[in-house]
Amino acid sequence: MASTSEVGHAKNVANFQDLIAFVNGYGPTYNPTKNSLLLPQLETLYTNSETSLNNVLTKNTDFNNIINQRLDAFANLRSLSTRLISALETTNATDEIIKDAKSFNRKLQGKRASKIEQPTDPNQPAPKTISSSQQSYDQLIQHFEGLISVLQSEPSYAPNETDLQVATLQTQLQDLKDKNKQVSNAYAQVSKARLERNKVLYEAETSLVNTAAEVKKYVKSVYGATSPEFGQITIIKFTKKKD
């Protein structure tokens, strides 16, 4: 489900389309001197606004899909770590080596990916920040890499099970790093898309909200405050940016 703020952005764009429809109906009597208020410019602004909204939605969906891919990649890390300790204990490793490995395992068990975040609906808005989540995943990667390093240092650690072998673990580690980086990159794209949308809808001098207010003022100046024409558009509401 989209957030209230996301719905508000879409409502502003939809209302702007309604405003254009009324302006178009005024015919040649709607004839402002300011270029940004001319009908072709209003149509262009509407198109740009709609494009900016769709771009946020697309980037947001990409972000949530990558979040879910990362969850899948980290899902078995806890159970795998336990298996690795058991495998190491069946080798000729010293007590110190096993102790070091168990230390990393305890850290992995205490920082579960499932507690960091849950699978998310691709349409759910991305959060305002992902710094704490990223730090948690960074720590998981660090602990897993430490455990692999201990296993690699033990000459007698050579399991027959492919998924427990150091080469396989290193490949998995790289995949975890890649997934984590992809989340950061995808979030940066969401953030950039939001900034662009906010400029088009709210922040630029010729933004959608500012232009809508000027159109209303112009219509009021032409037809009067009590005119039916102004009455048509004065009830079309535009809300200010909330995020």
Side-chain angles (χ1 to χ4, degrees):
M1 180 182 295
S3 68
T4 301
S5 60
E6 295 297 333
V7 171
H9 301 312
K11 185 63 175 175
N12 280 339
V13 175
N15 285 350
F16 194 71
Q17 186 178 37
D18 292 340
L19 181 65
I20 291 174
F22 283 118
V23 167
N24 194 39
Y26 299 149
T29 57
Y30 181 84
N31 189 29
T33 57
K34 191 171 185 178
N35 184 65
S36 62
L37 302 185
L38 295 175
L39 189 57
Q41 277 63 45
L42 298 182
E43 294 281 5
T44 297
L45 178 55
Y46 169 74
T47 299
N48 292 342
S49 298
E50 199 170 45
T51 298
S52 72
L53 282 185
N54 291 335
N55 190 39
V56 170
L57 291 175
T58 298
K59 295 297 190 292
N60 193 81
T61 299
D62 292 343
F63 170 77
N64 285 330
N65 286 338
I66 292 172
I67 281 287
N68 289 335
Q69 291 171 19
R70 181 174 68 176
L71 274 173
D72 290 341
F74 278 80
N76 76 330
L77 201 58
R78 185 169 178 256
S79 59
L80 175 61
S81 176
T82 300
R83 291 177 61 207
L84 292 172
I85 297 301
S86 296
L88 181 63
E89 288 178 324
T90 64
T91 69
N92 297 323
T94 64
D95 290 342
E96 284 301 314
I97 290 291
I98 294 174
K99 181 180 178 181
D100 289 344
K102 285 184 174 180
S103 175
F104 286 114
N105 181 45
R106 280 194 300 272
K107 293 174 181 177
L108 284 164
Q109 304 302 329
K111 183 69 68 174
R112 295 182 61 183
S114 61
K115 289 187 177 181
I116 299 171
E117 60 194 359
Q118 297 296 325
T120 184
D121 182 340
N123 297 316
Q124 188 71 16
K128 299 297 187 300
T129 178
I130 60 169
S131 58
S132 60
S133 175
Q134 284 299 100
Q135 289 172 5
S136 296
Y137 277 103
D138 288 342
Q139 290 170 9
L140 282 172
I141 290 171
Q142 181 181 355
H143 300 327
F144 187 51
E145 189 166 16
L147 177 55
I148 294 174
S149 178
V150 173
L151 298 176
Q152 191 174 19
S153 72
E154 174 51 51
S156 65
Y157 182 81
N160 292 321
E161 295 74 21
T162 303
D163 62 334
L164 302 183
Q165 294 171 2
V166 170
T168 304
L169 298 176
Q170 289 174 330
T171 299
Q172 182 173 352
L173 173 65
Q174 187 58 52
D175 182 60
L176 298 180
K177 289 181 177 180
D178 291 343
K179 292 290 194 304
N180 206 36
K181 183 177 180 180
Q182 287 167 13
V183 168
S184 295
N185 292 341
Y187 184 76
Q189 291 300 311
V190 173
S191 182
K192 180 181 178 182
R194 284 172 170 168
L195 291 175
E196 291 299 322
R197 175 204 61 199
N198 291 344
K199 288 178 183 178
V200 174
L201 267 61
Y202 307 105
E203 296 169 0
E205 183 178 348
T206 55
S207 69
L208 180 145
V209 169
N210 291 340
T211 300
E214 290 191 342
V215 168
K216 289 183 179 182
K217 289 177 182 177
Y218 174 73
V219 171
K220 183 179 180 181
S221 73
V222 173
Y223 297 101
T226 60
S227 66
E229 289 82 2
F230 182 63
Q232 287 177 321
I233 64 173
T234 192
I235 61 174
I236 302 176
K237 302 300 181 183
F238 295 89
T239 58
K240 297 294 180 67
K241 177 170 67 76
K242 295 182 179 180
D243 67 339

